[in-house]
Amino acid sequence: MSVEALPLEGTLSRNRVLHQPRHVLFPAASQFSPGFGEASWRAAIRASNEHLIPRVLTLGFQAFRAGQVGDPATYLQALLHSLRLQATELAEDREVAAVVLQLGLAETLPPALLAQLLDAVPQHLRTVARPQVEVRLDAGSGIAPAQLREVGCTRLNVIDRAGAQGPELLAQGQRAGFTACYYQLRVPGSDDNGFLPRLRAVLALAPERILLPSPCAAVDSPSVDYWWQAWTDVCAAGYLPLGGDHYQRADGIMPARRGDGARHCDLAGVPRRDRSDFLGIGLGACSQIGDVICRQESDMARWQSRLQVGHSGVVAGLIFSEHERLADEVVQSIACDRALDVAAFEWRNGVPFSEYFEEALMELPAMLDHNWIRWDGQMLQLEGEGQLLWRIIAACFRSLNAPA
């Protein structure tokens, strides 16, 4: 179906695509308190070490922006130093189950240095038998996916870019033998006439996952029609929402239980089977340990100075209040499962849902009228266009103040 043939009855919903809230799953870094420092972070890790479940960790290695660091080898040494410092604070039975190499890291660290970084992880932290290593690669990158596979990356995520041959890069990744290949769409610009042809070339390659655009990264003149058509095409190809912006091929393993609050999207935006801790390492990297979120220093010289005296580099953070924790549980369920089991929420937390989220529930009738959601007993289900606009629905719960 062409853009011109889009049904008129979806006009209102299509327009809402461009006005989704940017920060729903997690607070913006600007909301972190500078009063949260090194001591608070160490206390959070000690508290997390005492928890029996979960024990797994995800590591997220952050890239540096152009002009921040002159020498990639210098940045690698800082990453390794930070990794060692983080490892000394963690209990010995904590296990790394996944590693995410954020966008730009593979472009700034040559494969040999990237291999050193990945080899260092099991030297300092216990890992599961086969940890996932996702590398995010810009579609315009000149790096051959086979090089990344050789140094230990197991999953390739190609990030779309206007004018770049993203589908060809994805095809190279599939031939290189990654255990899974993803393709992540950016917010399309009105002048990007190649957006839909690229998407349809990607669909023909049938990667394990396709990630829809996130409103966190906008363009000057976004195209709501391209964005909407992308969602339509992905669903028509049989892809199913797995959590956040991830859509999984229909032959993949989907969650057996929806809305039970067990799954979550981590700080890298990846839906996980369990709630687990996330350690961000690098300039400006963010971490989450339990109900604590923090951010590292974003200036290279200051970050190195902190590392040299044995500090992890944390400069700001926040601790969820009880209300924020409960709101987060609801938001994560809506984001990951496109559903919310109210009975399960009340059983876990011992609070009456309708009273605790009274104001949020007052916003839902309009969404019921748009057929974005429906009630099935005590299960709130996202339907049709609501699956794409999950941020708007989830934000009803995130924006509330704690009840008296």
Side-chain angles (χ1 to χ4, degrees):
M1 180 170 61
S2 67
V3 171
E4 293 75 12
L6 286 168
L8 294 177
E9 62 267 20
T11 299
L12 175 62
S13 297
R14 291 206 304 277
N15 289 337
R16 294 299 296 273
V17 169
L18 297 181
H19 301 286
Q20 298 178 80
R22 296 179 61 188
H23 301 286
V24 178
L25 277 172
F26 300 100
S30 60
Q31 296 178 263
F32 292 6
S33 169
F36 182 102
E38 189 72 22
S40 301
W41 178 237
R42 291 176 185 269
I45 292 182
R46 286 196 298 269
S48 179
N49 285 339
E50 296 174 358
H51 294 171
L52 295 178
I53 298 175
R55 308 305 295 169
V56 297
L57 298 164
T58 296
L59 298 184
F61 288 104
Q62 186 77 21
F64 59 83
R65 293 187 296 274
Q68 285 183 303
V69 183
D71 179 20
T74 299
Y75 190 62
L76 170 65
Q77 292 307 311
L79 290 175
L80 294 175
H81 193 172
S82 181
L83 174 62
R84 289 193 294 270
L85 291 172
Q86 299 276 16
T88 60
E89 298 294 328
L90 292 163
E92 292 183 357
D93 64 337
R94 303 303 300 271
E95 288 189 320
V96 176
V99 176
V100 178
L101 305 179
Q102 300 282 24
L103 180 63
L105 192 64
E107 285 86 354
T108 53
L109 291 185
L113 298 186
L114 208 58
Q116 290 182 41
L117 179 62
L118 294 178
D119 289 344
V121 172
Q123 295 174 16
H124 299 290
L125 290 167
R126 180 186 294 185
T127 62
V128 299
R130 293 183 179 179
Q132 303 171 5
V133 180
E134 177 191 338
V135 56
R136 299 180 172 182
L137 196 61
D138 186 272
S141 172
I143 300 175
Q147 289 183 298
L148 301 174
R149 184 71 185 95
E150 288 175 0
V151 300
C153 298
T154 63
R155 300 191 177 196
L156 175 69
N157 188 352
V158 177
I159 316 298
D160 186 59
R161 177 178 292 279
Q165 298 300 317
E168 173 56 30
L169 194 63
L170 173 65
Q172 291 179 33
Q174 290 176 324
R175 292 192 295 269
F178 287 87
T179 59
C181 290
Y182 309 153
Y183 198 88
Q184 182 170 337
L185 301 172
R186 298 179 191 261
V187 175
S190 298
D191 58 349
D192 184 8
N193 297 325
F195 177 77
L196 291 177
R198 289 197 308 276
L199 170 60
R200 287 159 185 168
V202 168
L203 290 172
L205 293 169
E208 281 77 7
R209 293 185 194 177
I210 294 178
L211 283 66
L212 291 182
S214 165
C216 295
V219 295
D220 291 336
S221 180
S223 170
V224 62
D225 287 335
Y226 288 164
W227 193 337
W228 190 268
Q229 188 66 53
W231 173 64
T232 301
D233 286 357
V234 168
C235 292
Y239 283 80
L240 303 173
L242 182 65
D245 298 312
H246 289 240
Y247 277 65
Q248 180 165 284
R249 208 169 57 197
D251 59 356
I253 299 175
M254 299 297 292
R257 177 86 169 101
R258 297 180 65 196
D260 62 0
R263 301 173 66 245
H264 83 134
C265 287
D266 63 23
L267 287 175
V270 180
R272 305 288 182 189
R273 291 190 180 92
D274 302 297
R275 289 177 175 265
S276 56
D277 292 336
F278 183 96
L279 285 180
I281 298 176
L283 287 175
C286 291
S287 300
Q288 181 176 24
I289 294 286
D291 297 325
V292 176
I293 301 180
C294 73
R295 176 176 57 81
Q296 290 195 346
E297 175 64 65
S298 57
D299 177 82
M300 183 64 181
R302 291 196 295 266
W303 186 47
Q304 285 180 304
S305 296
R306 290 176 179 272
L307 295 177
Q308 288 169 2
V309 296
H311 290 183
S312 66
V314 170
V315 293
L318 58 84
I319 304 173
F320 282 166
S321 66
E322 178 64 9
H323 177 78
E324 289 167 333
R325 184 189 69 78
L326 295 177
D328 178 70
E329 185 176 319
V330 171
V331 167
Q332 288 281 1
S333 185
I334 290 172
C336 287
D337 295 331
R338 302 298 201 265
L340 173 64
D341 189 331
V342 171
F345 174 91
E346 293 181 332
W347 180 84
R348 283 192 304 273
N349 298 294
V351 297
F353 185 87
S354 60
E355 295 179 19
Y356 205 84
F357 292 107
E358 181 178 3
E359 294 181 39
L361 292 174
M362 293 174 62
E363 299 186 49
L364 298 187
M367 300 177 187
L368 287 163
D369 292 342
H370 288 310
N371 296 317
W372 293 354
I373 57 175
R374 69 178 176 88
W375 284 103
D376 182 6
Q378 288 192 284
M379 180 77 77
L380 180 68
Q381 304 271 13
L382 275 62
E383 300 286 327
E385 298 161 2
Q387 303 234 13
L388 175 63
L389 302 174
W390 62 268
R391 287 181 171 85
I392 296 175
I393 301 166
C396 297
F397 299 90
R398 175 67 81 189
S399 60
L400 297 181
N401 294 318

